[in-house]
Amino acid sequence: MKIIEPSVELAQDLNAAEIMRHIERAGRVCYKSESNISDTSAEKFIANIIKSGHESVIEHVSITFKIICDRGITHEIVRHRLASYSQESSRYCDYSGDKFGGELTFIKPCYWNDDDENYLLWRQTMAVIEQVYLTMRKNGARPEQARAILPNSLKTEIFMTANLREWRHFLKLRTSKRAHPQMRQIALKIFEILNSNLPVIFSDIEV
């Protein structure tokens, strides 16, 4: 049994300067102000359109992340319908096979310390689930059948692609202290990456 931390990875090359130029070119069509484009005009223009709520302009750019988290959190992630997803399938992945080292991987809950009684109970339960899953596979159950006992804590990988406007919406909801702690853990990692690369578009989001 493996227990790992969740993680987020930018799944594409991100050229911030080109993204800003692309958004400015699209946005200035609305006002027929293309003649005002200069080497330094994009930042101010984009800041103004976001401030004014004209966020449809930033839909012209999409960004993809690879997210490793537990399956319970992906049930929340995929509720964001204005995005595209590709997710590790527990139906087709055989966790008893050599590709996975013959063991299951679980995401460590962020809300319990290692010596917390609830964390110890969680670990014991995951170990039992792993043993039962492996036994079911040995007994001839197919992965799509044995997966019936797999918990929310099972590690999964998901690619998520969304335009910048949807990422803003996602982050406003999922970085809130009202969000599930494990969901917020992922959202804060995404925010850190996006804000460090495109602060004009994301720095106004309070986390």
Side-chain angles (χ1 to χ4, degrees), residues 77-110:
I77 289 175
V78 299
R79 292 179 64 190
H80 291 267
R81 294 183 291 276
L82 299 180
S84 298
Y85 303 100
S86 296
Q87 184 174 358
E88 175 183 335
S89 171
S90 60
R91 180 183 180 191
Y92 295 111
C93 291
D94 177 9
Y95 298 114
S96 68
D98 293 340
K99 184 187 299 185
F100 297 93
E103 61 183 346
L104 301 182
T105 300
F106 303 101
I107 298 294
K108 184 178 182 181
C110 61

mmCIF file of all heavy atoms in Angstrom, residues 77-110:
data_model
loop_
_atom_site.group_PDB
_atom_site.id
_atom_site.type_symbol
_atom_site.label_atom_id
_atom_site.label_comp_id
_atom_site.label_asym_id
_atom_site.label_seq_id
_atom_site.Cartn_x
_atom_site.Cartn_y
_atom_site.Cartn_z
ATOM 1 N N ILE A 77 -14.543 17.990 -8.929
ATOM 2 C CA ILE A 77 -13.900 18.692 -10.035
ATOM 3 C C ILE A 77 -14.741 18.620 -11.303
ATOM 4 O O ILE A 77 -14.946 19.632 -11.992
ATOM 5 C CB ILE A 77 -12.488 18.117 -10.287
ATOM 6 C CG1 ILE A 77 -11.540 18.523 -9.138
ATOM 7 C CG2 ILE A 77 -11.930 18.606 -11.627
ATOM 8 C CD1 ILE A 77 -10.162 17.902 -9.243
ATOM 9 N N VAL A 78 -15.238 17.431 -11.627
ATOM 10 C CA VAL A 78 -15.945 17.273 -12.908
ATOM 11 C C VAL A 78 -17.323 17.927 -12.918
ATOM 12 O O VAL A 78 -17.988 17.961 -13.957
ATOM 13 C CB VAL A 78 -16.069 15.785 -13.312
ATOM 14 C CG1 VAL A 78 -14.696 15.163 -13.488
ATOM 15 C CG2 VAL A 78 -16.900 14.991 -12.300
ATOM 16 N N ARG A 79 -17.747 18.473 -11.808
ATOM 17 C CA ARG A 79 -18.984 19.249 -11.795
ATOM 18 C C ARG A 79 -18.811 20.575 -12.539
ATOM 19 O O ARG A 79 -19.802 21.233 -12.858
ATOM 20 C CB ARG A 79 -19.445 19.497 -10.357
ATOM 21 C CG ARG A 79 -19.907 18.229 -9.641
ATOM 22 C CD ARG A 79 -20.335 18.527 -8.219
ATOM 23 N NE ARG A 79 -21.506 19.406 -8.194
ATOM 24 C CZ ARG A 79 -21.970 19.979 -7.088
ATOM 25 N NH1 ARG A 79 -21.360 19.770 -5.930
ATOM 26 N NH2 ARG A 79 -23.042 20.753 -7.131
ATOM 27 N N HIS A 80 -17.558 20.957 -12.773
ATOM 28 C CA HIS A 80 -17.289 22.168 -13.559
ATOM 29 C C HIS A 80 -17.432 21.778 -15.030
ATOM 30 O O HIS A 80 -16.505 21.269 -15.657
ATOM 31 C CB HIS A 80 -15.896 22.710 -13.230
ATOM 32 C CG HIS A 80 -15.816 23.253 -11.838
ATOM 33 N ND1 HIS A 80 -16.027 24.579 -11.542
ATOM 34 C CD2 HIS A 80 -15.604 22.634 -10.656
ATOM 35 C CE1 HIS A 80 -15.936 24.768 -10.240
ATOM 36 N NE2 HIS A 80 -15.668 23.602 -9.675
ATOM 37 N N ARG A 81 -18.605 22.024 -15.575
ATOM 38 C CA ARG A 81 -18.971 21.472 -16.880
ATOM 39 C C ARG A 81 -18.271 22.153 -18.049
ATOM 40 O O ARG A 81 -18.170 21.592 -19.129
ATOM 41 C CB ARG A 81 -20.493 21.522 -17.058
ATOM 42 C CG ARG A 81 -21.216 20.597 -16.082
ATOM 43 C CD ARG A 81 -22.706 20.602 -16.301
ATOM 44 N NE ARG A 81 -23.328 21.870 -15.938
ATOM 45 C CZ ARG A 81 -23.699 22.191 -14.702
ATOM 46 N NH1 ARG A 81 -23.494 21.338 -13.720
ATOM 47 N NH2 ARG A 81 -24.273 23.341 -14.448
ATOM 48 N N LEU A 82 -17.797 23.398 -17.844
ATOM 49 C CA LEU A 82 -17.136 24.105 -18.940
ATOM 50 C C LEU A 82 -15.651 23.773 -18.954
ATOM 51 O O LEU A 82 -14.787 24.655 -18.950
ATOM 52 C CB LEU A 82 -17.357 25.617 -18.811
ATOM 53 C CG LEU A 82 -18.815 26.068 -18.872
ATOM 54 C CD1 LEU A 82 -18.915 27.588 -18.743
ATOM 55 C CD2 LEU A 82 -19.468 25.621 -20.168
ATOM 56 N N ALA A 83 -15.364 22.496 -18.953
ATOM 57 C CA ALA A 83 -13.979 22.017 -18.972
ATOM 58 C C ALA A 83 -13.977 20.640 -19.631
ATOM 59 O O ALA A 83 -15.005 19.995 -19.772
ATOM 60 C CB ALA A 83 -13.408 21.937 -17.561
ATOM 61 N N SER A 84 -12.790 20.194 -20.032
ATOM 62 C CA SER A 84 -12.621 18.874 -20.643
ATOM 63 C C SER A 84 -11.767 18.016 -19.714
ATOM 64 O O SER A 84 -10.815 18.516 -19.098
ATOM 65 C CB SER A 84 -11.956 18.995 -22.016
ATOM 66 O OG SER A 84 -12.768 19.759 -22.891
ATOM 67 N N TYR A 85 -12.099 16.736 -19.648
ATOM 68 C CA TYR A 85 -11.453 15.839 -18.695
ATOM 69 C C TYR A 85 -11.024 14.526 -19.336
ATOM 70 O O TYR A 85 -11.715 13.997 -20.210
ATOM 71 C CB TYR A 85 -12.411 15.506 -17.537
ATOM 72 C CG TYR A 85 -12.922 16.713 -16.801
ATOM 73 C CD1 TYR A 85 -14.188 17.232 -17.072
ATOM 74 C CD2 TYR A 85 -12.143 17.338 -15.837
ATOM 75 C CE1 TYR A 85 -14.661 18.347 -16.400
ATOM 76 C CE2 TYR A 85 -12.606 18.456 -15.168
ATOM 77 C CZ TYR A 85 -13.866 18.955 -15.448
ATOM 78 O OH TYR A 85 -14.325 20.057 -14.786
ATOM 79 N N SER A 86 -9.895 14.008 -18.868
ATOM 80 C CA SER A 86 -9.463 12.634 -19.149
ATOM 81 C C SER A 86 -8.939 12.076 -17.833
ATOM 82 O O SER A 86 -8.012 12.640 -17.245
ATOM 83 C CB SER A 86 -8.361 12.600 -20.220
ATOM 84 O OG SER A 86 -8.850 13.084 -21.457
ATOM 85 N N GLN A 87 -9.547 10.973 -17.382
ATOM 86 C CA GLN A 87 -9.249 10.466 -16.042
ATOM 87 C C GLN A 87 -8.844 9.000 -16.056
ATOM 88 O O GLN A 87 -9.355 8.199 -16.844
ATOM 89 C CB GLN A 87 -10.464 10.653 -15.127
ATOM 90 C CG GLN A 87 -10.211 10.235 -13.678
ATOM 91 C CD GLN A 87 -11.373 10.571 -12.769
ATOM 92 O OE1 GLN A 87 -12.366 11.150 -13.194
ATOM 93 N NE2 GLN A 87 -11.255 10.226 -11.497
ATOM 94 N N GLU A 88 -7.926 8.665 -15.173
ATOM 95 C CA GLU A 88 -7.529 7.279 -14.941
ATOM 96 C C GLU A 88 -8.763 6.435 -14.630
ATOM 97 O O GLU A 88 -9.581 6.810 -13.784
ATOM 98 C CB GLU A 88 -6.551 7.242 -13.764
ATOM 99 C CG GLU A 88 -6.118 5.876 -13.314
ATOM 100 C CD GLU A 88 -5.204 5.945 -12.095
ATOM 101 O OE1 GLU A 88 -4.535 6.991 -11.896
ATOM 102 O OE2 GLU A 88 -5.158 4.953 -11.349
ATOM 103 N N SER A 89 -8.902 5.314 -15.306
ATOM 104 C CA SER A 89 -10.098 4.490 -15.187
ATOM 105 C C SER A 89 -9.858 3.306 -14.261
ATOM 106 O O SER A 89 -9.015 2.453 -14.538
ATOM 107 C CB SER A 89 -10.532 3.976 -16.565
ATOM 108 O OG SER A 89 -11.566 3.024 -16.435
ATOM 109 N N SER A 90 -10.635 3.233 -13.188
ATOM 110 C CA SER A 90 -10.520 2.077 -12.289
ATOM 111 C C SER A 90 -11.179 0.849 -12.897
ATOM 112 O O SER A 90 -11.025 -0.265 -12.387
ATOM 113 C CB SER A 90 -11.151 2.393 -10.930
ATOM 114 O OG SER A 90 -12.527 2.717 -11.079
ATOM 115 N N ARG A 91 -11.897 1.041 -14.005
ATOM 116 C CA ARG A 91 -12.483 -0.102 -14.708
ATOM 117 C C ARG A 91 -11.428 -0.832 -15.527
ATOM 118 O O ARG A 91 -11.415 -2.066 -15.594
ATOM 119 C CB ARG A 91 -13.617 0.375 -15.603
ATOM 120 C CG ARG A 91 -14.270 -0.764 -16.376
ATOM 121 C CD ARG A 91 -15.351 -0.279 -17.330
ATOM 122 N NE ARG A 91 -15.951 -1.394 -18.055
ATOM 123 C CZ ARG A 91 -16.757 -1.273 -19.094
ATOM 124 N NH1 ARG A 91 -17.078 -0.058 -19.540
ATOM 125 N NH2 ARG A 91 -17.242 -2.324 -19.685
ATOM 126 N N TYR A 92 -10.554 -0.083 -16.173
ATOM 127 C CA TYR A 92 -9.568 -0.693 -17.071
ATOM 128 C C TYR A 92 -8.190 -0.851 -16.430
ATOM 129 O O TYR A 92 -7.376 -1.639 -16.920
ATOM 130 C CB TYR A 92 -9.447 0.142 -18.347
ATOM 131 C CG TYR A 92 -10.730 0.143 -19.155
ATOM 132 C CD1 TYR A 92 -11.504 1.293 -19.274
ATOM 133 C CD2 TYR A 92 -11.178 -1.013 -19.787
ATOM 134 C CE1 TYR A 92 -12.691 1.292 -20.003
ATOM 135 C CE2 TYR A 92 -12.360 -1.029 -20.511
ATOM 136 C CZ TYR A 92 -13.105 0.121 -20.615
ATOM 137 O OH TYR A 92 -14.277 0.119 -21.324
ATOM 138 N N CYS A 93 -7.910 -0.102 -15.377
ATOM 139 C CA CYS A 93 -6.613 -0.238 -14.708
ATOM 140 C C CYS A 93 -6.667 -1.402 -13.719
ATOM 141 O O CYS A 93 -7.550 -1.454 -12.857
ATOM 142 C CB CYS A 93 -6.260 1.054 -13.974
ATOM 143 S SG CYS A 93 -5.879 2.435 -15.075
ATOM 144 N N ASP A 94 -5.723 -2.315 -13.863
ATOM 145 C CA ASP A 94 -5.641 -3.469 -12.969
ATOM 146 C C ASP A 94 -4.592 -3.174 -11.903
ATOM 147 O O ASP A 94 -3.389 -3.306 -12.145
ATOM 148 C CB ASP A 94 -5.267 -4.719 -13.768
ATOM 149 C CG ASP A 94 -5.084 -5.945 -12.890
ATOM 150 O OD1 ASP A 94 -5.406 -5.872 -11.682
ATOM 151 O OD2 ASP A 94 -4.615 -6.974 -13.412
ATOM 152 N N TYR A 95 -5.027 -2.777 -10.724
ATOM 153 C CA TYR A 95 -4.096 -2.375 -9.675
ATOM 154 C C TYR A 95 -3.362 -3.554 -9.055
ATOM 155 O O TYR A 95 -2.439 -3.344 -8.258
ATOM 156 C CB TYR A 95 -4.838 -1.567 -8.602
ATOM 157 C CG TYR A 95 -5.435 -0.289 -9.161
ATOM 158 C CD1 TYR A 95 -6.805 -0.098 -9.232
ATOM 159 C CD2 TYR A 95 -4.606 0.714 -9.661
ATOM 160 C CE1 TYR A 95 -7.348 1.063 -9.771
ATOM 161 C CE2 TYR A 95 -5.133 1.876 -10.208
ATOM 162 C CZ TYR A 95 -6.508 2.044 -10.251
ATOM 163 O OH TYR A 95 -7.040 3.193 -10.792
ATOM 164 N N SER A 96 -3.759 -4.758 -9.425
ATOM 165 C CA SER A 96 -3.024 -5.933 -8.946
ATOM 166 C C SER A 96 -1.873 -6.288 -9.880
ATOM 167 O O SER A 96 -1.064 -7.161 -9.571
ATOM 168 C CB SER A 96 -3.962 -7.136 -8.821
ATOM 169 O OG SER A 96 -4.390 -7.572 -10.112
ATOM 170 N N GLY A 97 -1.789 -5.611 -11.025
ATOM 171 C CA GLY A 97 -0.790 -5.944 -12.034
ATOM 172 C C GLY A 97 0.555 -5.294 -11.804
ATOM 173 O O GLY A 97 0.729 -4.424 -10.938
ATOM 174 N N ASP A 98 1.524 -5.704 -12.615
ATOM 175 C CA ASP A 98 2.896 -5.213 -12.471
ATOM 176 C C ASP A 98 3.011 -3.708 -12.703
ATOM 177 O O ASP A 98 3.865 -3.043 -12.111
ATOM 178 C CB ASP A 98 3.814 -5.950 -13.454
ATOM 179 C CG ASP A 98 3.968 -7.424 -13.125
ATOM 180 O OD1 ASP A 98 3.696 -7.794 -11.951
ATOM 181 O OD2 ASP A 98 4.341 -8.202 -14.019
ATOM 182 N N LYS A 99 2.159 -3.165 -13.571
ATOM 183 C CA LYS A 99 2.215 -1.728 -13.869
ATOM 184 C C LYS A 99 2.054 -0.881 -12.608
ATOM 185 O O LYS A 99 2.598 0.209 -12.491
ATOM 186 C CB LYS A 99 1.126 -1.370 -14.872
ATOM 187 C CG LYS A 99 1.145 0.084 -15.334
ATOM 188 C CD LYS A 99 -0.058 0.426 -16.196
ATOM 189 C CE LYS A 99 -0.102 -0.405 -17.460
ATOM 190 N NZ LYS A 99 -1.206 0.001 -18.355
ATOM 191 N N PHE A 100 1.305 -1.402 -11.638
ATOM 192 C CA PHE A 100 1.039 -0.665 -10.403
ATOM 193 C C PHE A 100 1.764 -1.276 -9.209
ATOM 194 O O PHE A 100 1.488 -0.928 -8.059
ATOM 195 C CB PHE A 100 -0.470 -0.618 -10.129
ATOM 196 C CG PHE A 100 -1.239 0.113 -11.195
ATOM 197 C CD1 PHE A 100 -1.800 -0.570 -12.262
ATOM 198 C CD2 PHE A 100 -1.364 1.494 -11.155
ATOM 199 C CE1 PHE A 100 -2.500 0.097 -13.258
ATOM 200 C CE2 PHE A 100 -2.054 2.178 -12.141
ATOM 201 C CZ PHE A 100 -2.624 1.485 -13.200
ATOM 202 N N GLY A 101 2.685 -2.188 -9.508
ATOM 203 C CA GLY A 101 3.453 -2.801 -8.428
ATOM 204 C C GLY A 101 2.636 -3.735 -7.551
ATOM 205 O O GLY A 101 3.058 -4.077 -6.441
ATOM 206 N N GLY A 102 1.446 -4.136 -8.047
ATOM 207 C CA GLY A 102 0.614 -5.057 -7.283
ATOM 208 C C GLY A 102 0.093 -4.485 -5.986
ATOM 209 O O GLY A 102 -0.179 -5.232 -5.031
ATOM 210 N N GLU A 103 -0.061 -3.161 -5.938
ATOM 211 C CA GLU A 103 -0.577 -2.542 -4.716
ATOM 212 C C GLU A 103 -1.419 -1.321 -5.069
ATOM 213 O O GLU A 103 -1.323 -0.765 -6.171
ATOM 214 C CB GLU A 103 0.564 -2.142 -3.786
ATOM 215 C CG GLU A 103 1.524 -1.128 -4.355
ATOM 216 C CD GLU A 103 2.679 -0.809 -3.414
ATOM 217 O OE1 GLU A 103 2.593 -1.170 -2.219
ATOM 218 O OE2 GLU A 103 3.646 -0.192 -3.863
ATOM 219 N N LEU A 104 -2.239 -0.912 -4.130
ATOM 220 C CA LEU A 104 -3.082 0.262 -4.318
ATOM 221 C C LEU A 104 -2.389 1.499 -3.752
ATOM 222 O O LEU A 104 -1.580 1.408 -2.824
ATOM 223 C CB LEU A 104 -4.432 0.071 -3.621
ATOM 224 C CG LEU A 104 -5.279 -1.122 -4.074
ATOM 225 C CD1 LEU A 104 -6.601 -1.145 -3.320
ATOM 226 C CD2 LEU A 104 -5.540 -1.079 -5.565
ATOM 227 N N THR A 105 -2.726 2.649 -4.329
ATOM 228 C CA THR A 105 -2.191 3.918 -3.854
ATOM 229 C C THR A 105 -3.342 4.787 -3.382
ATOM 230 O O THR A 105 -4.358 4.926 -4.066
ATOM 231 C CB THR A 105 -1.425 4.649 -4.976
ATOM 232 O OG1 THR A 105 -0.345 3.815 -5.409
ATOM 233 C CG2 THR A 105 -0.865 5.969 -4.487
ATOM 234 N N PHE A 106 -3.177 5.382 -2.200
ATOM 235 C CA PHE A 106 -4.207 6.224 -1.611
ATOM 236 C C PHE A 106 -3.662 7.622 -1.355
ATOM 237 O O PHE A 106 -2.455 7.814 -1.157
ATOM 238 C CB PHE A 106 -4.707 5.614 -0.295
ATOM 239 C CG PHE A 106 -5.235 4.214 -0.443
ATOM 240 C CD1 PHE A 106 -4.460 3.115 -0.086
ATOM 241 C CD2 PHE A 106 -6.498 3.988 -0.953
ATOM 242 C CE1 PHE A 106 -4.939 1.818 -0.227
ATOM 243 C CE2 PHE A 106 -6.996 2.704 -1.103
ATOM 244 C CZ PHE A 106 -6.213 1.613 -0.747
ATOM 245 N N ILE A 107 -4.568 8.596 -1.365
ATOM 246 C CA ILE A 107 -4.201 9.977 -1.082
ATOM 247 C C ILE A 107 -4.348 10.250 0.412
ATOM 248 O O ILE A 107 -5.396 9.986 1.008
ATOM 249 C CB ILE A 107 -5.081 10.968 -1.879
ATOM 250 C CG1 ILE A 107 -4.876 10.764 -3.382
ATOM 251 C CG2 ILE A 107 -4.778 12.410 -1.478
ATOM 252 C CD1 ILE A 107 -3.486 11.104 -3.892
ATOM 253 N N LYS A 108 -3.309 10.786 0.995
ATOM 254 C CA LYS A 108 -3.328 11.066 2.431
ATOM 255 C C LYS A 108 -4.297 12.201 2.746
ATOM 256 O O LYS A 108 -4.194 13.282 2.170
ATOM 257 C CB LYS A 108 -1.918 11.434 2.911
ATOM 258 C CG LYS A 108 -1.826 11.652 4.408
ATOM 259 C CD LYS A 108 -0.397 11.959 4.824
ATOM 260 C CE LYS A 108 -0.300 12.129 6.329
ATOM 261 N NZ LYS A 108 1.079 12.447 6.760
ATOM 262 N N PRO A 109 -5.230 12.005 3.669
ATOM 263 C CA PRO A 109 -6.119 13.103 4.061
ATOM 264 C C PRO A 109 -5.329 14.227 4.720
ATOM 265 O O PRO A 109 -4.444 13.971 5.545
ATOM 266 C CB PRO A 109 -7.081 12.442 5.058
ATOM 267 C CG PRO A 109 -6.980 10.974 4.802
ATOM 268 C CD PRO A 109 -5.569 10.739 4.356
ATOM 269 N N CYS A 110 -5.644 15.453 4.354
ATOM 270 C CA CYS A 110 -4.864 16.590 4.856
ATOM 271 C C CYS A 110 -5.329 17.087 6.219
ATOM 272 O O CYS A 110 -4.692 17.956 6.818
ATOM 273 C CB CYS A 110 -4.913 17.736 3.846
ATOM 274 S SG CYS A 110 -6.585 18.378 3.533
#
